[in-house]
Amino acid sequence: MSKLKLTYLVKKKFHLKKQKSYAETLVNQFIETQNKKPEEKRKSVEFYEAKVIKHITKIDDKIQKVSAEIETLNIDLIAKNHAEIEHLTKSNHADQKKKIEIFEDFQEFQKESDSILKISHLSMHFGGLKAVNDLSFDVKKGEIFGLIGPNGAGKTTVFNCITQFYKPTHGEVYFQDKENNIHSLSNYKVHDIIDFGIARTFQNVELVWELSVLDNLLVGGHSLYTSNFFTQLFHLPKLRREENAVKKRALEVITKLGLTNYQNAYPVGLPYGILKRIELARTLMTNPSLIILDEPAAGLNDTETNELAELIKVIQKEFNVTIFLVEHDMNLVMGICDRICAISFGQKICLGTPEEIQNDKRVQEAYLGGD
């Protein structure tokens, strides 16, 4: 029951934060509109601003109240976990020991303010097939982190477990949001993950071919809306203001990623490198803190791959995001990643810098085979 209530409160907090963001956008839009008018026709910016700020203050009060409830629940859950772990320490059973190790990983993650993602003893079994088997690693804030391994090593399965397309058989996936709150992603559904600030791309280009490039980005910003069903049904002023705000965000992203010449074009027939760039642009619509890229260089030629590498670096720095990627192009991985985790048959074989990975015999054997 406590976990269900915690999930509900976290979702409620996300909704309140969206309302606050919308109110702040309204103020900025009003000020911009008034500044464009002749001075004699301008309305009082101060009166409108004060009115909206009063509304924002009420939202902040609600957010603080919900945050306090979340903190209390988290303390209760941690206390219950402590009691359970004390009981489990008396057992020698392997599963019980694993639970203890997972809880210890959680405690360690709480102390590590520089980590954004923690994979703890993750396992994903499909019948008798162990696609991922007792995998653990962490991703630091602001880094470009690579996950490599031979075909069938379980890399995409790890991504699907993080984004909850798959519910792990065992283990936990912990994520630290922008407010340094830690969440167990296994407690949430796949459509909730975007609200935590996690966005991803897929191996295949997943664009809406019947829509323009700009509209594809607008689709990527759908989770930013706070308008309810009736507001959208009758296309009320609130919806139009939200649409303007999301469109403004889309145009900013298009400009920064060099897609201005393609914004009104349809994706069909565009170069493959441009399509990959559009996908990357769409991930930025929700202002994420973690972007997961599944084989972003697949199908690209050498020139396009080099351009992609530079683009990923630009996105990481300009948008202040953490990049977590799976890739088979070793030149790309070794050239842009700060740290790399190598896996084989779902198990970790090495974690370190690109140089350490290149010199590791276990990685060489996994890719080239042993003697």
Side-chain angles (χ1 to χ4, degrees):
M1 185 63 71
S2 295
K3 286 187 177 180
L4 287 174
K5 187 176 181 182
L6 180 62
T7 303
Y8 165 75
L9 288 172
V10 169
K11 290 181 180 179
K12 185 178 179 180
K13 184 177 178 180
F14 284 144
H15 183 69
L16 288 170
K17 287 169 68 177
K18 287 179 185 178
Q19 288 183 334
K20 179 182 176 181
S21 178
Y22 168 66
E24 291 171 341
T25 301
L26 279 183
V27 174
N28 294 331
Q29 284 183 347
F30 181 77
I31 292 173
E32 286 179 11
T33 303
Q34 296 306 313
N35 287 338
K36 291 177 182 178
K37 293 180 179 180
E39 192 169 344
E40 63 274 9
K41 293 184 178 181
R42 290 179 190 173
K43 295 181 181 179
S44 174
V45 173
E46 290 77 12
F47 173 76
Y48 184 80
E49 191 174 12
K51 187 177 178 181
V52 177
I53 287 175
K54 185 177 179 181
H55 178 60
I56 290 173
T57 303
K58 289 182 179 179
I59 296 174
D60 277 331
D61 291 340
K62 291 180 181 179
I63 291 174
Q64 288 178 7
K65 185 178 178 181
V66 172
S67 296
E69 289 185 66
I70 291 172
E71 188 174 351
T72 302
L73 270 178
N74 276 327
I75 291 171
D76 291 342
L77 285 171
I78 290 171
K80 288 179 181 178
N81 284 335
H82 269 297
E84 184 181 353
I85 294 304
E86 286 179 9
H87 174 71
L88 293 176
T89 51
K90 300 174 184 178
S91 171
N92 291 322
H93 196 277
D95 287 344
Q96 311 294 16
K97 287 184 177 180
K98 196 71 68 181
K99 287 183 179 179
I100 295 173
E101 291 172 356
I102 290 172
F103 183 67
E104 288 173 348
D105 280 350
F106 171 73
Q107 289 181 309
E108 183 183 339
F109 189 47
Q110 283 183 308
K111 299 173 184 175
E112 294 174 351
S113 59
D114 63 334
S115 293
I116 191 171
L117 183 72
K118 181 87 171 178
I119 307 296
S120 178
H121 299 280
L122 184 71
S123 294
M124 186 68 219
H125 301 169
F126 298 97
L129 175 65
K130 297 181 179 180
V132 180
N133 189 19
D134 197 29
L135 180 66
S136 296
F137 61 84
D138 67 314
V139 179
K140 306 294 183 185
K141 290 179 182 177
E143 74 174 344
I144 300 178
F145 186 90
L147 184 65
I148 65 171
N151 286 328
K155 303 181 295 297
T156 297
T157 302
V158 172
F159 277 6
N160 287 335
C161 287
I162 294 171
T163 53
Q164 299 306 298
F165 278 92
Y166 298 152
K167 290 294 181 182
T169 308
H170 302 293
E172 287 287 351
V173 180
Y174 296 115
F175 180 76
Q176 187 167 205
D177 63 22
K178 291 180 179 179
E179 297 178 349
N180 297 323
N181 297 313
I182 296 175
H183 307 275
S184 174
L185 297 183
S186 301
N187 294 333
Y188 299 90
K189 296 180 180 179
V190 62
H191 58 265
D192 296 324
I193 302 302
I194 188 69
D195 289 327
F196 289 102
I198 302 175
R200 72 169 289 183
T201 63
F202 296 84
Q203 288 184 12
N204 299 319
V205 175
E206 300 288 349
L207 298 174
V208 184
W209 304 103
E210 294 80 10
L211 298 179
S212 68
V213 171
L214 175 59
D215 286 337
N216 267 278
L217 265 67
L218 296 178
V219 169
H222 76 280
S223 63
L224 301 174
Y225 287 88
T226 61
S227 299
N228 58 29
F229 173 76
F230 291 102
T231 303
Q232 299 203 23
L233 178 65
F234 296 106
H235 212 264
L236 298 179
K238 179 183 178 181
L239 176 63
R240 292 197 290 273
R241 288 193 292 266
E242 286 190 324
E243 286 177 338
N244 289 335
V246 174
K247 186 175 182 179
K248 182 180 178 182
R249 168 74 178 177
L251 291 172
E252 288 173 356
V253 172
I254 283 174
T255 301
K256 287 186 177 181
L257 267 64
L259 293 168
T260 306
N261 293 335
Y262 303 99
Q263 69 181 52
N264 296 317
Y266 290 91
V268 177
L270 292 178
Y272 201 64
I274 297 298
L275 298 180
K276 290 281 188 175
R277 191 176 286 251
I278 295 168
E279 274 210 316
L280 278 171
R282 190 171 57 184
T283 65
L284 293 167
M285 283 300 297
T286 54
N287 193 27
S289 53
L290 174 66
I291 297 178
I292 298 174
L293 306 177
D294 197 352
E295 298 190 22
L300 301 182
N301 59 39
D302 291 342
T303 302
E304 290 171 332
T305 300
N306 291 335
E307 290 175 353
L308 175 68
E310 292 304 315
L311 181 61
I312 290 174
K313 291 178 183 178
V314 168
I315 289 173
Q316 182 226 3
K317 291 178 181 177
E318 288 199 15
F319 292 89
N320 191 29
V321 297
T322 303
I323 308 288
F324 182 11
L325 64 87
V326 158
E327 185 52 63
H328 285 291
D329 189 316
M330 289 299 103
N331 288 329
L332 173 66
V333 173
M334 299 299 169
I336 67 172
C337 288
D338 300 300
R339 290 190 306 140
I340 300 168
C341 178
I343 64 174
S344 182
F345 297 106
Q347 293 182 309
K348 181 172 71 177
I349 54 178
C350 187
L351 173 64
T353 63
E355 186 178 354
E356 290 170 340
I357 295 294
Q358 286 175 316
N359 296 327
D360 192 276
K361 291 183 178 180
R362 294 167 298 176
V363 176
Q364 294 170 3
E365 288 178 3
Y367 274 93
L368 303 175
D371 295 333

